[in-house]
Amino acid sequence: MQDQHSPDNWSLETLAIRAGHERTFEQEHSEPIFPTSSFVYGSAAEAARKFNGEEPGNIYSRFTNPTVHTFERRLAALEGGERCIATSSGMAAILSTALALLKSGDEILASRSLFGSTVSLFDKYLGKFGITTRYVELSSVEAWEAAITPQTRLLFAETPSNPLSEVVDIEALACVAHRHDALLAIDNCFLTPSLQRPLALGADLVIHSATKYLDGQGRAIGGAIVGKHQLLEEVFGVVRTCGPCLSPFNAWIFTKGLETLSLRMNAHGQNALLLAQWLDSHPAVEKVYYSGLPSHPQHDLAKRQQRGFGAVLGFEVVGGQAGAWSVIDATRLLSITGNLGDVKSTITHPGTTTHGRLSVEQKQAAGISEGLIRVAVGLEDIDDIQRDLARGLDALMA
Ligand SMILES: *Cc1c(COP(=O)(O)O)cnc(C)c1O
């Protein structure tokens, strides 16, 4: 009979609070921080055994730190992965994954609507080393399969996408990847394991910018990669050698952030759905992009593979860029910033900020129109958020 108190039986909410912490001899209740660069050994022989890997234990905080390990174990448990490696940022997680798994001549196939720095990393920096990236429409599994070549080693997608909330069938995409001996990595930043668990759907790797919802309060930069032992051992080698490691203090912030992850994600989602419905009925709004609305073309898929719809939504207002800017400038509560994943709501004009470097044609292909606004809905009272947006939207109709 299985032990009812074993982590194997714990729900996500329990794991988020209990997993990963191995109490020290001090019998602390809350997770401790170990701000130390190195660790000491009882003898020369013990040092030798630890250095050559014969004996597990802490060596140096670039690759072994107990606070970082607590965060890694907790996030691995939440994502249902065998192992997690934490990194200094979300970008460092993507870079480390690429360095670990790709070589010159390999190809990445990525979704068209990706985080801007991810596109720069792939094109500008990995490109320098002979790794090429091609982009396909996120939601079309057929388009992914048609674009695969014998050199394709990694499929990389963000789902739902930013800022149009497009969704891809992760299970189907994993089948396509594996049929062609490629790996599938999902950037799960927007939903977190609380709302979507890509590994259970067949993905090989989950990438996180912990900076966003894992922290949840906009305090620290960090990242992580989760997956099977064998793949993560390669990533560990890169982080250990190249050094994009997470600091113990930031790891502690993320560990404590995870404890309220589900509460926050559910509350974010409730606010976002209410806001999407309200925007949908406003005469100054031409279109709302949110996978939680039944009118969203992939609402059924989103409902099937996600436990919720997240808190990032896009909407188009009348009046093009001038209209969008006037709505943004009329806000007093929402923060005008490109960041997201915070209890504070944020608002941005993708066409001139996050997607500003794209050409007119690229913007059109990506669906980034002049009048598009993105809101990452926070946890303020929904009535206050609506009133803040109503000021600018009502003025557009006057
Ligand atoms: C922010 C973000 C990243 C990069 O993470 P950093 O922690 O800022 O380096 C990667 N992917 C997505 C989807 C993001 O939103």
Side-chain angles (χ1 to χ4, degrees), residues 10-300:
W10 288 349
S11 77
L12 196 108
E13 285 70 19
T14 308
L15 289 170
I17 292 167
R18 294 284 177 175
H21 178 205
E22 287 167 8
R23 205 162 284 158
T24 75
F25 61 90
E26 298 288 4
Q27 291 294 304
E28 74 281 355
H29 192 209
S30 177
E31 298 75 359
I33 311 180
F34 288 90
T36 178
S37 49
S38 64
F39 299 84
V40 295
Y41 316 101
S43 66
E46 185 193 329
R49 285 196 303 275
K50 285 197 171 146
F51 264 79
N52 69 25
E54 270 171 50
E55 189 179 313
N58 298 313
I59 300 174
Y60 186 58
S61 282
R62 183 171 359 96
F63 51 98
T64 52
N65 179 277
T67 314
V68 175
H69 285 163
T70 298
F71 168 62
E72 290 172 337
R73 283 191 296 262
R74 187 165 292 180
L75 185 57
L78 294 183
E79 287 286 4
E82 290 175 5
R83 187 167 173 190
C84 168
I85 302 291
T87 55
S88 56
S89 68
M91 292 317 302
I94 301 172
L95 172 66
S96 303
T97 302
L99 286 178
L101 305 176
L102 303 174
K103 61 178 189 325
S104 178
D106 287 346
E107 276 178 10
I108 302 171
L109 204 53
S111 52
R112 196 162 279 141
S113 32
L114 275 192
F115 186 66
S117 296
T118 307
V119 175
S120 300
L121 169 64
F122 288 171
D123 291 348
K124 197 167 163 197
Y125 296 105
L126 295 185
K128 269 205 319 203
F129 299 99
I131 296 164
T132 48
T133 305
R134 284 175 305 118
Y135 298 90
V136 293
E137 191 191 324
L138 171 69
S139 56
S140 168
V141 176
E142 300 74 36
W144 287 85
E145 180 141 38
I148 289 186
T149 73
Q151 282 70 47
T152 307
R153 180 88 180 97
L154 179 69
L155 273 56
F156 189 99
E158 278 169 32
T159 178
S161 74
N162 172 23
L164 299 182
S165 217
E166 293 162 303
V167 178
V168 69
D169 185 332
I170 296 173
E171 207 166 3
L173 196 58
C175 288
V176 167
H178 299 154
R179 205 156 47 235
H180 296 271
D181 289 326
L183 299 168
L184 174 63
I186 297 289
D187 183 332
N188 203 24
C189 169
F190 276 42
L191 291 183
T192 81
S194 163
L195 302 182
Q196 173 169 278
R197 304 211 314 157
L199 298 177
L201 298 168
D204 301 284
L205 294 161
V206 167
I207 307 274
H208 273 289
S209 167
T211 315
K212 313 294 167 49
Y213 294 102
L214 302 192
D215 169 23
Q217 295 182 60
R219 298 168 292 191
I221 305 275
I225 309 110
V226 193
K228 287 215 170 66
H229 245 294
Q230 186 208 342
L231 288 175
L232 268 286
E233 187 59 22
E234 303 289 326
V235 177
F236 173 69
V238 170
V239 174
R240 171 182 184 143
T241 308
C242 304
C245 50
L246 185 62
S247 82
F249 186 71
N250 285 0
W252 179 80
I253 290 178
F254 299 139
T255 299
K256 301 309 280 180
L258 287 178
E259 294 180 352
T260 55
L261 182 68
S262 285
L263 278 176
R264 286 186 287 104
M265 292 313 289
N266 290 337
H268 274 292
Q270 274 167 23
N271 262 3
L273 183 59
L274 289 170
L275 187 67
Q277 288 163 343
W278 176 79
L279 287 167
D280 210 23
S281 67
H282 197 289
V285 175
E286 288 179 329
K287 191 160 183 193
V288 180
Y289 299 91
Y290 185 62
S291 66
L293 290 179
S295 58
H296 186 281
Q298 293 161 295
H299 178 65
D300 289 338

